[in-house]
Amino acid sequence: NAGVTQTPKFQVLKTGQSMTLQCAQDMNHEYMSWYRQDPGMGLRLIHYSVGAGITDQGEVPNGYNVSRSTTEDFPLRLLSAAPSQTSVYFCASSYSDSRGREYFGPGTRLLVL
Amino acid sequence: AQKITQTQPGMFVQEKEAVTLDCTYDTSDQSYGLFWYKQPSSGEMIFLIYQGSYDEQNATEGRYSLNFQKARKSANLVISASQLGDSAMYFCAMREGPNFGNEKLTFGTGTRLTIIP
């Protein structure tokens, strides 16, 4: 199993550009989520999904879109990048059972100039 | 109110000593799960240990144990016989609700642990 994969590993954008961060998992997990990690603030939830076709907002959803057309994939779209979106982005997935341990991808480091 | 509070931004511990990382949580749900993750300088998130609100025993995983005090709403991570490789950021996190496997995971701000040789 590859687990949770994310691409790209690193990206530089100019203000106003759009891009999609890719996330895929091969563990047949129902639950998938996106976090951003900024210094001193821990991980904050952007969006999450409890299954294909179902998404919901987390703590910091503004400026981001998601969709979940398949169980495996959960892309995160930045609509118009801003310097405030410079961060490290983690995708994670888990079974929707009582333990709900999340498996994390390796992260994408995004720099918006 | 913060859902997860980690009051120690940084800790320095001598190698081979035990260390306790504090975590308190806030929830009105009876059903919830508590998690600890480790993030070394390489950046990946590593799952360490899990405690369910209905678990009667404190969770243990090798050198890691969770000191779960439900009435005080605390879930402290204890690392026995610390090693240099334990130097990392440690995050406490919680999922809450009747079917909390479907609920979002909320993280604390983390504790940076440095092991001194």
Side-chain angles (χ1 to χ4, degrees):
Chain A
N1 283 351
V4 181
T5 58
Q6 291 183 238
T7 55
K9 285 189 168 56
F10 180 73
Q11 183 74 44
V12 180
L13 288 180
K14 293 181 180 176
T15 296
Q17 286 185 316
S18 63
M19 79 160 295
T20 299
L21 306 185
Q22 300 291 346
C23 174
Q25 52 92 8
D26 60 359
M27 296 173 281
N28 204 31
H29 286 165
E30 302 96 339
Y31 185 96
M32 294 186 75
S33 54
W34 277 101
Y35 298 89
R36 59 178 288 173
Q37 184 177 25
D38 302 301
M41 301 191 76
L43 277 78
R44 292 183 293 167
L45 184 65
I46 305 171
H47 286 285
Y48 65 103
S49 168
V50 298
I54 306 168
T55 63
D56 206 347
Q57 295 181 353
E59 182 185 353
V60 287
N62 292 343
Y64 307 96
N65 266 0
V66 292
S67 60
R68 182 102 178 266
S69 56
T70 66
T71 299
E72 295 79 19
D73 300 299
F74 191 43
L76 178 73
R77 296 181 190 83
L78 279 69
L79 308 172
S80 176
S84 61
Q85 293 179 304
T86 293
S87 189
V88 179
Y89 291 84
F90 287 98
C91 179
S93 71
S94 64
Y95 289 114
S96 296
D97 64 11
S98 61
R99 289 185 167 260
R101 169 211 159 173
E102 290 214 59
Y103 294 75
F104 282 83
T108 294
R109 189 172 294 273
L110 177 68
L111 175 62
V112 183
L113 302 174
Chain B
Q2 291 282 347
K3 286 280 184 185
I4 297 286
T5 302
Q6 295 181 253
T7 57
Q8 307 151 309
M11 287 187 70
F12 291 84
V13 172
Q14 205 72 39
E15 189 180 6
K16 298 181 184 163
E17 288 185 351
V19 57
T20 298
L21 305 180
D22 294 340
C23 173
T24 57
Y25 58 92
D26 181 30
T27 182
S28 56
D29 282 299
Q30 296 300 310
S31 180
Y32 52 89
L34 297 156
F35 305 80
W36 277 92
Y37 287 86
K38 172 184 179 182
Q39 187 178 42
S41 56
S42 51
E44 72 267 32
M45 294 292 289
I46 301 168
F47 167 77
L48 294 178
I49 198 165
Y50 162 84
Q51 179 83 43
S53 59
Y54 293 118
D55 293 342
E56 294 183 355
Q57 306 274 357
N58 283 348
T60 60
E61 292 282 351
R63 292 187 301 113
Y64 304 107
S65 60
L66 202 150
N67 184 2
F68 181 47
Q69 298 187 42
K70 199 168 179 177
R72 298 179 61 185
K73 293 188 176 176
S74 76
N76 298 340
L77 178 70
V78 180
I79 306 173
S80 63
S82 57
Q83 302 171 355
L84 295 178
D86 294 331
S87 293
M89 280 290 285
Y90 288 81
F91 293 99
C92 180
M94 176 176 67
R95 278 182 138 143
E96 54 187 326
N99 182 22
F100 63 78
N102 268 335
E103 300 294 337
K104 54 193 178 184
L105 191 64
T106 302
F107 283 84
T109 52
T111 295
R112 182 171 297 282
L113 176 65
T114 303
I115 306 299
I116 305 165

